[in-house]
């Protein structure tokens, strides 16, 4: 088999294009101060799959493949990749890249990195092993060529490698987490060099003037870990920092009044309502006389009626203060793998009542609407708003919001009939599999399918779509699959909340990423 699927770069990667775009002029010396919610607890880039690590350590380390602002794969330290057989991939590396200590980046460093993640790190570290468990072997063919053999067909290997930071091969074996946490051997190829760190408190970086992608914009970057949203907002408003991430929507107007600018982007995640479909009687669902009834959610017409009776504009405009996007599928429209055919619809109460009557519920029913309170932006308030909307079609919903720990336990125990849920990931098929595929403990499929939704035709089509190599063809297959499954109303998409950041006058613009990363590379300095 000779599979020629390939991704080539005619120039710099998206990451380096942004660096070049934001580069400082000759002689410029600007410091960037950031108040971040991300509590960096380790300098080991392979310790845990947390946004804290992915965001802050991306200044020092880089990946072979980069996920851009549309979640499409772009060249990073690898300029191209191709699948040369069903179980073999070839990656071509960028030439003339050097680590911060001056040593060249080569294929040997890729081998070292993958083997460190796959073979060396053990729990509680080693969170990235899920991305390497399918790799049977990795070989340096020459300094700029790496061949990776997989245990079986792995069409998304480039996507998996977009999560892993490259480290230099040392002379003393694999670096330990303890050694990395001293900072003395923290060496990457990234646009900034490590300067100092206090675990969970601060991270200080200095510009890498020899960066392969062009001279970075900021001379020094200082991250101050500030877990309180109010404190981050106050620091920005007072001019103590230049950027504050994860700004609450309620504080946006205050920041604007103080002269700050605010940027936002829909998050690559969905918050939704999920149904209990495996039980003949759904917990918390009764007729108007409080008598148990057969599970109404097993009828797709009921599920569609409830979806039609959700006023997403109220959620977005009133509850989220405009910093949310009404949803019709797992990721915001326009991101890789999403369907252009699915768009959020306004509430249609008369159509919803007609569907309920057709399904045998002309007078509606009663239901307990469960969810967490304070876990996600707008979660508890959304329960209240939807309950009011459903009352207009005869469904009496009693919203019950509880702490997430309580909610998660009860949901896992099957105590809910309908509830508020969420899913995010590096690609849309992560949620398509976790939320909607038939649960299978052997493979891990359906890990978030707490409602036991089962659709064999969908399962088969998902398996087929996931055999397509990462890229436009796979995105099209996933979009078509989304069209197919969402017509069955397996969940009720609600909204994509926004990541919100604010910046002061020393930053002229801040390009946000739907995965919620906070980096200096996203910030363009104002002219001196």
């Amino acid at each position: 088999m000779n599979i020629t699927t390939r991704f080539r770069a005619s120039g710099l990667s998206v990451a380096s294009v942004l660096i070049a775009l934001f580069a400082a002029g000759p002689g410029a010396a600007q410091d960037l101060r950031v108040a971040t919610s991300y509590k960096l607890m380790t300098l080991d880039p392979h310790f845990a799959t947390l946004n804290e690590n992915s965001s802050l350590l991306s200044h020092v380390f880089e990946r072979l493949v980069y996920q851009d602002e549309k979640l499409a794969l772009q060249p990073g330290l690898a300029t191209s990749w191709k699948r040369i057989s069903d179980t073999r991939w070839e990656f071509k590396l960028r030439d003339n890249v050097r680590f911060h200590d001056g040593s060249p980046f080569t294929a040997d460093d890729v081998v070292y990195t993958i083997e460190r993640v796959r073979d060396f790190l053990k729990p509680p570290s080693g969170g990235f092993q899920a991305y390497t468990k399918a790799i049977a072997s990795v070989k340096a063919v020459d300094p700029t060529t790496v061949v990776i053999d997989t245990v079986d067909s792995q069409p998304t290997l480039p996507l998996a490698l977009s999560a892993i930071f490259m480290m230099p091969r040392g002379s003393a074996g694999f670096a330990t987490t303890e050694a990395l946490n001293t900072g003395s051997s923290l060496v990457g190829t990234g646009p900034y060099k490590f300067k100092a760190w206090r675990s969970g408190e601060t991270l200080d970086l200095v510009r890498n003037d020899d960066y392969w992608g062009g001279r970075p914009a900021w001379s020094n970057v200082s991250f101050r870990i500030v877990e309180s949203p109010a404190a981050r907002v106050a620091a920005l408003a007072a001019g103590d920092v230049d950027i504050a991430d994860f700004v609450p929507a309620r504080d946006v107007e205050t920041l604007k009044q103080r002269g700050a600018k605010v940027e936002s982007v829909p998050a690559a995640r969905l918050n939704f309502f999920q149904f209990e479909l495996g039980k003949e009687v759904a917990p918390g669902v009764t007729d108007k006389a409080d008598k148990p009834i057969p599970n109404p959610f097993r009828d797709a017409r009921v599920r569609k009626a409830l979806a039609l009776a959700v006023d997403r504009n109220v959620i977005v405009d009133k509850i989220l203060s405009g910093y949310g996007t009404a949803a019709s599928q797992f990721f915001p429209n326009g991101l890789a793998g999403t369907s252009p055919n699915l768009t959020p619809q306004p509430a249609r109460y008369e159509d919803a009542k007609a569907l309920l009557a057709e399904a045998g519920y002309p007078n509606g029913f009663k239901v307990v609407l469960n969810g967490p309170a304070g876990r996600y932006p707008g979660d508890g308030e959304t329960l209240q708003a939807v309950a009011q909307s459903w009352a207009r079609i005869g469904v009496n919903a009693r919203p019950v919001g509880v702490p997430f720990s309580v909610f998660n336990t009860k949901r896992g125990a099957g105590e809910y009939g309908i509830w508020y849920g969420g899913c995010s990931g590096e690609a849309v098929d992560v949620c398509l599999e976790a939320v909607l595929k038939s649960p299978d403990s052997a493979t891990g499929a359906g890990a978030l399918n707490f409602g036991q939704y089962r659709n064999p035709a969908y399962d088969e089509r998902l398996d087929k779509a996931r055999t397509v190599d990462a890229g436009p063809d796979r995105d099209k297959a996933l979009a078509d699959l989304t069209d197919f499954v969402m017509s069955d109303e397996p969940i009720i998409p609600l909204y994509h909340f926004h990541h919100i950041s604010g910046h002061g006058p020393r930053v002229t613009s801040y390009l946000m990423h739907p995965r919620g990363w906070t980096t200096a590379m996203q910030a363009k300095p104002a002219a001196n």
Side-chain angles (χ1 to χ4, degrees):
M1 175 179 286
N2 181 23
I3 301 173
T4 58
T5 299
R6 178 184 288 269
F7 196 115
R8 290 188 178 273
S10 58
L12 297 178
S13 71
V14 169
S16 60
V17 168
L18 291 176
I19 293 293
L21 177 64
F22 295 166
Q30 299 196 59
D31 295 344
L32 181 70
R33 305 159 301 167
V34 184
T36 180
S37 64
Y38 286 139
K39 192 172 184 179
L40 185 66
M41 301 301 292
T42 179
L43 296 177
D44 187 339
H46 305 144
F47 186 84
T49 54
L50 300 172
N51 254 7
E52 288 90 330
N53 295 40
S54 296
S55 292
L56 301 187
L57 294 180
S58 68
H59 296 81
V60 178
F61 301 99
E62 295 182 291
R63 310 165 177 91
L64 293 180
V65 184
Y66 173 74
Q67 228 180 352
D68 69 13
E69 287 70 33
K70 296 295 184 182
L71 301 188
L73 298 181
Q74 304 289 354
L77 291 176
T79 58
S80 67
W81 48 91
K82 66 178 180 179
R83 190 150 67 136
I84 55 180
S85 77
D86 198 42
T87 58
R88 175 168 289 184
W89 285 83
E90 179 185 86
F91 288 78
K92 288 292 186 179
L93 306 183
R94 197 174 297 279
D95 200 6
N96 297 320
V97 174
R98 292 190 174 275
F99 287 101
H100 298 155
D101 62 2
S103 62
F105 166 70
T106 70
D108 283 337
D109 302 306
V110 178
V111 174
Y112 167 86
T113 295
I114 291 175
E115 290 181 344
R116 179 178 189 264
V117 172
R118 187 192 62 185
D119 304 329
F120 176 69
L121 295 177
K122 304 299 179 185
S125 61
F128 286 86
Q129 287 177 340
Y131 299 108
T132 62
K133 65 181 181 181
I135 295 177
S137 65
V138 53
K139 178 182 179 182
V141 176
D142 58 51
T144 60
T145 306
V146 176
V147 169
I148 298 176
D149 289 307
T150 57
V151 294
D152 52 23
S153 179
Q154 294 293 324
T156 59
L157 182 64
L159 177 62
L161 293 179
S162 75
I164 298 176
F165 290 119
M166 295 292 114
M167 290 179 58
R169 177 184 289 277
S171 58
F174 293 115
T176 66
T177 298
E178 292 75 18
L180 291 170
N181 281 341
T182 68
S184 60
S185 59
L186 203 70
V187 176
T189 61
Y192 293 92
K193 299 179 181 180
F194 174 78
K195 181 179 180 181
W197 170 68
R198 289 199 302 271
S199 178
E201 297 182 24
T202 60
L203 174 66
D204 295 316
L205 308 165
V206 63
R207 178 165 59 200
N208 176 14
D209 287 322
D210 298 321
Y211 180 57
W212 63 266
R215 191 165 179 254
W218 304 97
S219 300
N220 296 280
V221 180
S222 176
F223 287 93
R224 184 194 308 172
I225 288 78
V226 182
E227 294 186 80
S228 165
R232 290 196 302 276
V233 169
L236 178 60
D240 294 335
V241 298
D242 303 304
I243 294 173
D245 64 11
F246 295 97
V247 171
R250 64 178 179 272
D251 293 322
V252 167
E253 288 306 314
T254 299
L255 283 176
K256 288 182 176 179
Q257 291 171 9
R258 297 294 295 271
K261 295 182 179 179
V262 174
E263 314 284 355
S264 71
V265 66
R269 66 166 297 118
L270 174 68
N271 290 96
F272 53 87
F273 283 142
Q274 193 169 25
F275 305 98
E276 170 56 60
L277 299 172
K279 298 177 180 177
E280 293 184 4
V281 176
V285 181
T286 67
D287 63 16
K288 293 297 183 66
D290 294 323
K291 295 180 179 179
I293 58 175
N295 188 345
F297 305 135
R298 287 182 163 185
D299 191 323
R301 293 170 296 183
V302 173
R303 302 196 296 270
K304 184 173 181 63
L306 294 175
L308 287 173
V310 171
D311 191 338
R312 294 168 181 82
N313 291 330
V314 167
I315 300 173
V316 169
D317 296 336
K318 303 300 183 182
I319 297 175
L320 300 175
S321 302
Y323 289 93
T325 297
S328 59
Q329 54 189 314
F330 279 106
F331 281 5
N333 291 51
L335 295 189
T338 59
S339 170
N341 302 321
L342 295 175
T343 55
Q345 299 298 311
R348 292 164 24 206
Y349 297 109
E350 294 305 315
D351 290 344
K353 287 195 287 187
L355 276 173
L356 280 182
E358 182 182 319
Y361 303 94
N363 299 316
F365 48 85
K366 297 175 72 173
V367 62
V368 178
L369 186 58
N370 304 278
R375 171 76 172 184
Y376 307 105
D379 51 12
E381 298 92 334
T382 294
L383 300 180
Q384 300 282 345
V386 172
Q388 294 178 25
S389 293
W390 284 355
R392 298 179 62 171
I393 63 172
V395 174
N396 295 350
R398 178 167 64 90
V400 176
V402 297
F404 182 75
S405 59
V406 176
F407 166 79
N408 198 38
T409 299
K410 289 181 176 291
R411 180 180 60 177
E415 296 184 22
Y416 295 149
I418 184 171
W419 59 91
Y420 176 107
C423 183
S424 63
E426 64 269 17
V428 70
D429 58 308
V430 171
C431 291
L432 287 169
E433 179 182 52
V435 178
L436 299 181
K437 194 171 185 186
S438 299
D440 185 338
S441 58
T443 64
L448 300 179
N449 188 354
F450 299 103
Q452 302 294 308
Y453 174 75
R454 295 181 183 274
N455 184 332
Y458 166 75
D459 293 347
E460 182 178 352
R461 290 183 61 161
L462 176 59
D463 288 342
K464 183 176 180 180
R466 299 191 87 183
T467 65
V468 181
D469 287 358
D473 290 343
R474 183 185 181 89
D475 292 342
K476 176 64 164 58
L478 294 174
D480 291 345
L481 177 66
T482 300
D483 285 336
F484 170 77
V485 73
M486 294 309 290
S487 66
D488 195 32
E489 312 291 338
I491 58 174
I492 300 178
L494 296 172
Y495 59 89
H496 314 285
F497 65 73
H498 287 192
H499 296 305
I500 309 172
S501 291
H503 59 87
R506 297 179 66 252
V507 175
T508 190
S509 66
Y510 188 74
L511 181 63
M512 297 195 66
H513 196 283
R515 293 188 64 184
W517 295 332
T518 299
T519 74
M521 291 82 80
Q522 298 164 243
K524 181 179 180 180
N528 287 333

